[in-house]
Amino acid sequence: MMNLMTGIYPVGTHLASWRHPDSFPKISMQIDTFVELAQIAERGKLDMMFLADGNAVRSMDEPLMFLANPEVNRPTTFDPLMLMAVVAQYTRNIGLFCTAVTTYDEPYLLARRFGSLDHLSNGRACWNVVTGSYAIDALNFGLSKHVDRNERYERAEEFVEVCKGLWDSWDDGAFIEDKETGHFLDPSKLQRLNHEGKHFKVQGPLNVARLPQGYPVLASAGQSEPGRELAARQSDVIFSVALTKEEAQEFYADQKARIVRHGRDPDKVRILPGVTLFIGRTEAEADELLDQLNDLISPDVGVALLSKLVWSDLSGYPIDGPLPDLSAEVMGMQSYRKSIDTLAKKEGLTIRQMYKKVLPGEGHVIFKGDPVQIADQMEEWYRDKAADGFNVGLPVLPKSLNDFVDLVVPELQKRGLFRKEYPGPTLRDTLGLAVPPRGINLNGAWILSDSEKQIV
Ligand SMILES: Cc1cc2nc3c(=O)[nH]c(=O)nc-3n(C[C@H](O)[C@H](O)[C@H](O)COP(=O)(O)O)c2cc1C
């Protein structure tokens, strides 16, 4: 079965989405819009809702883009974990999937927040482990420049291990709450982490009972070498970025081989490329929607945004000439840069053609057409091992999500590609993942100290 997820950004995935007459009239800090989207997605039995995150307002030095593009710049955005805690109260089954950046956080605090979300949602938390794609974030944390990629990923891996150790603090049934004996908890079900590593020194235990899912589902999106390795070792869900099926297949094969090399079951790790859908009841209606939105992008903004996606300033190049060579690695979002470079070379596109091609998808591939055509494209990628499912981007919200749920999901269900019901209450049930066994801390230092025993 395919896995399907979508973003919970009320703004929609096209640069000009928010200006479309059918989009939410107001999107800044409107909790009702997030709740409405989550409930529509749950009606469609989607696996998860995703919220990206970062720690800075972006593009302030690029006035055109700052003015025009509300979503990418994140000038005003809820803290994802707080938002998901609210959404949890209005939904029952859908997974709550959000980013938290390891470069500027502490494992104890984050393990506690995700542990809380997993309890508050009865087992539906998913953490997108991200090392931070924007250099400017560093300025809010006492640094003058972005941390080097290898070091970010090294810290991320240790961060995740520490979190796992903290989530293992309490065993199931530790809180007996026995009114008769006066014993609130069973100390034999407690272990302390006592972690000392290169980046973190964390004693534990965590002050959150064992999570309904053991650990939240773990996800990541890195496409660089260390990003792929982290994903192969730690992730249950992997985002990918590919503008062609062949590119998606290449990533899929590479990533699944890495998962096997790390002794994990490749079928238990789901690879979900981003895909932006322009759905119409007819093909003409889908074309019209895309044209309508593209007409709302000015060329200046188009070039500026493409520059941002590829991490190179393209404004000095003729707009109707070819893209420069982008094969050199950069510190930023390697994934988009690489796939745009590949596409430019393969199809010989000009800068203008390229921004018209990739901006409507916000860097992801576009599937466009009536529900049958959309389902055909999704099925092809799924059957040809380019994807285990999709991270679906939708341009005009809530309309496009309703269209996806009412028109495309039934078509996928009819073909036996997508389930009709949630199999159980937790996200692990939905994804067919077992609850990981509680790891036992073998350092020997985890049992209560003598003085703590006396207190108990
Ligand atoms: C679908 C998707 C979602 C992402 N979400 C975030 C995010 O919320 N915050 C962030 O800083 N980076 C995000 N990224 C960027 C990745 O974490 C990663 O940095 C990027 O793909 C480049 O890979 P690399 O870090 O291995 O170079 C996302 C990437 C993709 C493809």
Side-chain angles (χ1 to χ4, degrees):
M1 287 279 161
M2 253 182 212
N3 299 101
L4 295 174
M5 56 176 285
T6 188
I8 192 171
Y9 325 96
V11 68
T13 52
H14 188 283
L15 171 60
S17 290
W18 64 280
R19 301 177 66 192
H20 193 280
D22 292 333
S23 287
F24 285 117
K26 287 277 172 220
I27 49 174
S28 306
M29 311 313 268
Q30 303 291 316
I31 184 65
D32 292 354
T33 60
F34 291 94
V35 171
E36 183 176 339
L37 291 175
Q39 288 177 334
I40 299 169
E42 191 164 73
R43 177 161 59 78
K45 315 291 177 215
L46 268 56
D47 298 54
M48 298 176 275
M49 293 298 287
F50 172 63
L51 192 66
D53 197 35
N55 287 293
V57 176
R58 297 163 183 178
S59 301
M60 291 181 68
D61 52 347
E62 297 160 292
L64 261 177
M65 283 180 42
F66 192 58
L67 208 64
N69 193 341
E71 188 209 340
V72 175
N73 300 330
R74 305 213 179 96
T76 175
T77 173
F78 284 114
D79 175 278
L81 277 138
M82 286 202 187
L83 176 79
M84 290 301 192
V86 174
V87 171
Q89 309 314 307
Y90 291 90
T91 50
R92 297 192 77 79
N93 291 98
I94 192 151
L96 307 171
F97 179 172
C98 57
T99 291
V101 182
T102 52
T103 309
Y104 309 113
D105 214 320
E106 280 291 324
Y108 191 92
L109 297 173
L110 198 65
R112 188 178 181 200
R113 299 205 298 276
F114 268 104
S116 300
L117 181 63
D118 207 47
H119 280 285
L120 288 166
S121 63
N122 296 318
R124 293 186 282 138
C126 175
W127 170 21
N128 184 30
V129 180
V130 154
T131 69
S133 9
Y134 284 83
I136 190 176
D137 293 13
L139 306 183
N140 291 323
F141 298 91
L143 302 175
S144 54
K145 67 177 181 60
H146 204 15
V147 181
D148 163 77
R149 181 189 281 123
N150 287 331
E151 195 181 333
R152 274 187 282 134
Y153 275 105
E154 187 189 80
R155 178 184 160 103
E157 183 111 30
E158 190 180 331
F159 197 118
V160 172
E161 286 300 327
V162 173
C163 286
K164 287 180 170 176
L166 289 168
W167 290 320
D168 287 338
S169 295
W170 297 94
D171 205 349
D172 288 322
F175 296 92
I176 43 183
E177 303 191 34
D178 188 333
K179 291 189 180 179
E180 201 65 32
T181 60
H183 292 179
F184 187 76
L185 52 81
D186 177 353
S188 72
K189 298 199 169 202
L190 168 64
Q191 65 180 2
R192 213 202 275 144
L193 177 64
N194 277 324
H195 172 86
E196 269 190 52
K198 180 169 172 195
H199 297 274
F200 303 106
K201 188 170 175 205
V202 181
Q203 180 182 270
L206 189 67
N207 53 358
V208 177
R210 183 160 156 81
L211 279 49
Q213 297 191 101
Y215 308 146
V217 172
L218 296 179
S220 63
Q223 310 262 310
S224 61
E225 181 62 28
R228 291 182 189 210
E229 280 298 294
L230 175 76
R233 281 193 290 266
Q234 301 285 5
S235 300
D236 306 303
V237 173
I238 301 176
F239 280 131
S240 74
V241 179
L243 293 175
T244 62
K245 187 178 81 177
E246 293 68 33
E247 202 186 337
Q249 284 171 316
E250 189 255 313
F251 179 82
Y252 187 97
D254 175 80
Q255 196 65 64
K256 293 269 173 170
R258 287 174 196 256
I259 292 162
V260 172
R261 278 207 293 283
H262 288 292
R264 301 177 64 210
D265 179 353
D267 294 336
K268 294 286 176 204
V269 182
R270 314 299 286 169
I271 297 181
L272 309 181
V275 39
T276 300
L277 304 185
F278 289 85
I279 309 163
R281 280 168 203 277
T282 61
E283 196 178 348
E285 207 180 283
D287 288 340
E288 196 188 325
L289 174 65
L290 180 55
D291 290 345
Q292 244 178 1
L293 288 163
N294 279 351
D295 285 349
L296 294 169
I297 309 175
S298 84
D300 286 352
V301 173
V303 173
L305 243 164
L306 186 64
S307 300
K308 192 168 174 138
L309 274 181
V310 300
W311 287 80
S312 281
D313 181 6
L314 302 174
S315 62
Y317 296 89
I319 192 167
D320 293 313
L323 274 90
D325 178 39
L326 299 168
S327 55
E329 283 227 346
V330 292
M331 274 286 279
M333 291 264 253
Q334 200 55 41
S335 42
Y336 293 125
R337 181 179 164 96
K338 190 166 170 287
S339 54
I340 288 170
D341 187 47
T342 309
L343 189 69
K345 285 174 180 154
K346 187 172 162 215
E347 297 190 7
L349 300 178
T350 65
I351 291 179
R352 191 196 301 271
Q353 287 166 332
M354 182 59 88
Y355 85 63
K356 283 204 165 175
K357 185 151 186 141
V358 300
L359 291 190
E362 297 219 317
H364 293 296
V365 67
I366 291 173
F367 292 168
K368 182 165 60 69
D370 64 32
V372 171
Q373 290 170 318
I374 300 267
D376 284 348
Q377 294 166 87
M378 293 175 86
E379 179 166 3
E380 187 185 325
W381 278 46
Y382 176 69
R383 294 213 186 277
D384 291 352
K385 295 194 181 310
D388 293 317
F390 298 93
N391 171 26
V392 171
L394 296 159
V396 177
L397 293 171
K399 180 188 181 308
S400 303
L401 181 57
N402 274 315
D403 287 347
F404 181 64
V405 162
D406 295 333
L407 305 174
V408 180
V409 167
E411 181 62 32
L412 295 170
Q413 288 168 330
K414 202 170 83 189
R415 299 178 187 198
L417 292 169
F418 191 59
R419 64 164 179 276
K420 293 191 169 152
E421 289 304 330
Y422 287 104
T426 73
L427 180 56
R428 283 187 184 275
D429 294 330
T430 302
L431 296 173
L433 299 174
V435 171
R438 178 174 176 247
I440 299 300
N441 186 341
L442 298 174
N443 296 333
W446 50 266
I447 319 171
L448 297 184
S449 67
D450 285 346
S451 58
E452 282 169 321
K453 273 185 197 145
Q454 281 158 21
I455 296 167
V456 173

